[in-house]
């Protein structure tokens, strides 16, 4: 018998100003997350591997969320600048992965970067009834967070 179930959340796409490298550096640095991710108050215990920069493969930290007692352990599993980045968060019996894909758009009048976000959730089978709700709510929250990040990047300039 399977004890877990998983679902892929519908992809979110947001246009960012500037280069893919600039968007990549900002979005993949865990120290920036609390500025644009509405569910976070901050991060703790940021650890990098060797000489790696924050956000490089192997980086780990704890999210300090708005929900008391919910502090997932985060780890970067893919770091391919400025194209693709993946993290996984683990909290108890729930896993959530997020992959960001960056495509620079030079064909547009105002060049920028298309950021695609794809999330996958894995949770105990007894929580399966929550999956349809999560498939509706998570993309909206992720889209709002990424749109906030575009405003922050735009305000800072490239």
């Amino acid at each position: 018998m399977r004890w877990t179930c998983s679902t892929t959340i519908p992809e979110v796409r947001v246009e960012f100003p500037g280069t893919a490298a600039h968007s990549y550096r900002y979005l993949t640095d865990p120290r920036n997350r609390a500025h644009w991710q509405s569910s976070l108050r901050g991060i703790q215990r940021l650890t990098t591997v060797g000489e790696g920069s924050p956000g490089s493969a192997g980086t780990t930290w704890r999210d300090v969320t708005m929900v008391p007692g919910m502090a997932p352990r985060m780890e970067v599993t893919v770091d391919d600048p400025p194209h693709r980045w993946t993290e996984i968060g683990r909290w108890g019996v729930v896993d959530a992965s997020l992959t960001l894909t960056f495509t620079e758009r030079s064909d547009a009048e105002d060049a920028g970067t298309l950021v695609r976000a794809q999330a996958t959730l894995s949770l105990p089978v007894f929580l399966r009834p929550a999956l349809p709700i999560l498939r509706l709510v998570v993309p909206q929250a992720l889209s709002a967070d990424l749109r906030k990040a575009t405003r922050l990047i735009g305000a800072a300039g490239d």
Side-chain angles (χ1 to χ4, degrees), residues 87-142:
E87 69 178 7
I88 187 162
R90 294 180 173 94
W91 178 65
V93 294
V94 175
D95 289 350
S97 72
L98 174 67
T99 297
L100 300 177
T101 307
F102 300 77
T103 306
E104 204 160 302
R105 307 226 0 200
S106 59
D107 59 333
E109 192 172 296
D110 292 325
T113 299
L114 174 64
V115 175
R116 295 180 320 200
Q118 183 71 67
T120 303
L121 303 174
S122 177
L123 49 149
V125 72
F126 72 86
L127 292 174
R128 178 175 273 166
L131 290 178
I133 295 166
L134 291 169
R135 285 182 53 81
L136 290 173
V137 173
V138 171
Q140 293 174 13
L142 186 53

Side-chain angles (χ1 to χ4, degrees), residues 64-76:
V64 179
T65 70
M66 299 294 184
V67 180
M70 186 174 175
R73 181 186 181 276
M74 309 299 293
E75 180 180 358
V76 177

Side-chain angles (χ1 to χ4, degrees), residues 135-154:
R135 285 182 53 81
L136 290 173
V137 173
V138 171
Q140 293 174 13
L142 186 53
S143 180
D145 287 345
L146 289 173
R147 286 193 314 272
K148 182 175 182 181
T150 66
R151 292 189 299 276
L152 294 170
I153 286 176

Side-chain angles (χ1 to χ4, degrees), residues 1 31 60 85 88 101 132:
M1 174 177 216
R31 299 171 298 185
T60 61
W85 183 85
I88 187 162
T101 307

